[in-house]
Amino acid sequence: MKHVTRIEKIINGFVASPNEKRRIESLFKHADDRGRCGFEKWLQYELVLYLTANKRSFDVETQLDVDNRKQQDKKFLQIDLSIKLKGFDTLDIELKVRHVLSKAIRALKSDCTKLSKIRPAARATASFAVVLCGGVISQSRQKNLMDEISGLLIIPVGKGANFLIAEAS
């Protein structure tokens, strides 16, 4: 649970700036008619700038060994961002940006599955799927999503955007 608090603190710090909120809100105005916006690298870059400004240690596009019992076709998986904490603690983060909530939920579940395939010796202290999605999520929909995805954290970003965060098991 303490790792969920850490990732929540990092994301809340990242979106605390009014300028960042405005940029994130405007991001979804540029999605194409199929809901694609292609801003994952932008999000990764912005998070890297935030982490650098806050003197956090991190690695980008980290290659980790796969548990061969869970996946035979690949030897490595690439993780978008790995944040080093005090001691040997590390948070591995797989990032996605999706305009449509249903696609965001699928991406979140898919990334949790991907992260669970990392070999235990190579695995971070905690691994998270983080999806930035557009739209407003009603209270009833939030409750349904939290029932569907154990430990789901939803962080609203201004008007019309949300971070969805789930810890991989």
Side-chain angles (χ1 to χ4, degrees):
M1 191 63 173
K2 72 176 183 176
H3 301 297
V4 172
T5 305
R6 286 177 171 171
I7 191 77
E8 182 178 15
K9 185 177 178 182
I10 290 169
I11 296 299
N12 276 325
F14 170 64
V15 299
S17 156
N19 288 338
E20 202 62 57
K21 282 183 185 176
R22 275 194 297 279
R23 285 202 302 245
I24 289 171
E25 289 171 355
S26 70
L27 170 112
F28 292 104
K29 293 176 185 171
H30 301 289
D32 66 15
D33 58 350
R34 291 187 293 191
R36 295 181 306 188
C37 52
F39 283 95
E40 285 174 29
K41 287 297 176 195
W42 170 85
L43 177 60
Q44 185 177 14
Y45 178 74
E46 290 293 325
L47 276 168
V48 162
L49 288 176
Y50 170 76
L51 293 169
T52 301
N54 286 279
K55 297 178 178 27
R56 297 261 189 178
S57 181
F58 61 88
D59 289 317
V60 178
E61 300 296 335
T62 305
Q63 205 174 48
L64 300 173
D65 295 333
V66 170
D67 186 341
N68 290 331
R69 296 169 296 175
K70 295 183 179 182
Q71 182 161 343
Q72 260 92 73
D73 59 333
K74 292 182 180 179
K75 292 188 185 276
F76 303 101
L77 288 177
Q78 196 114 353
I79 302 301
D80 292 328
L81 193 57
S82 190
I83 302 171
K84 294 175 173 78
L85 305 171
K86 291 180 181 173
F88 294 103
D89 287 353
T90 317
L91 302 178
D92 284 341
I93 300 173
E94 190 60 26
L95 296 167
K96 294 283 185 283
V97 176
R98 295 291 184 271
H99 187 72
V100 180
L101 180 60
S102 60
K103 291 181 180 183
I105 295 302
R106 278 195 300 275
L108 190 75
K109 289 178 178 178
S110 173
D111 281 350
C112 281
T113 301
K114 172 184 174 178
L115 291 166
S116 72
K117 293 178 180 177
I118 297 170
R119 191 166 53 88
R123 191 173 293 158
T125 307
S127 299
F128 293 92
V130 177
V131 180
L132 176 61
C133 74
V136 176
I137 306 173
S138 70
Q139 292 287 53
S140 62
R141 184 68 173 125
Q142 283 186 28
K143 184 185 179 322
N144 290 343
L145 288 172
M146 289 177 179
D147 290 343
E148 180 183 338
I149 302 170
S150 176
L152 177 66
L153 179 63
I154 300 173
I155 300 176
V157 182
K159 298 174 185 171
N162 300 276
F163 274 101
L164 307 176
I165 303 170
E167 187 171 3
S169 51

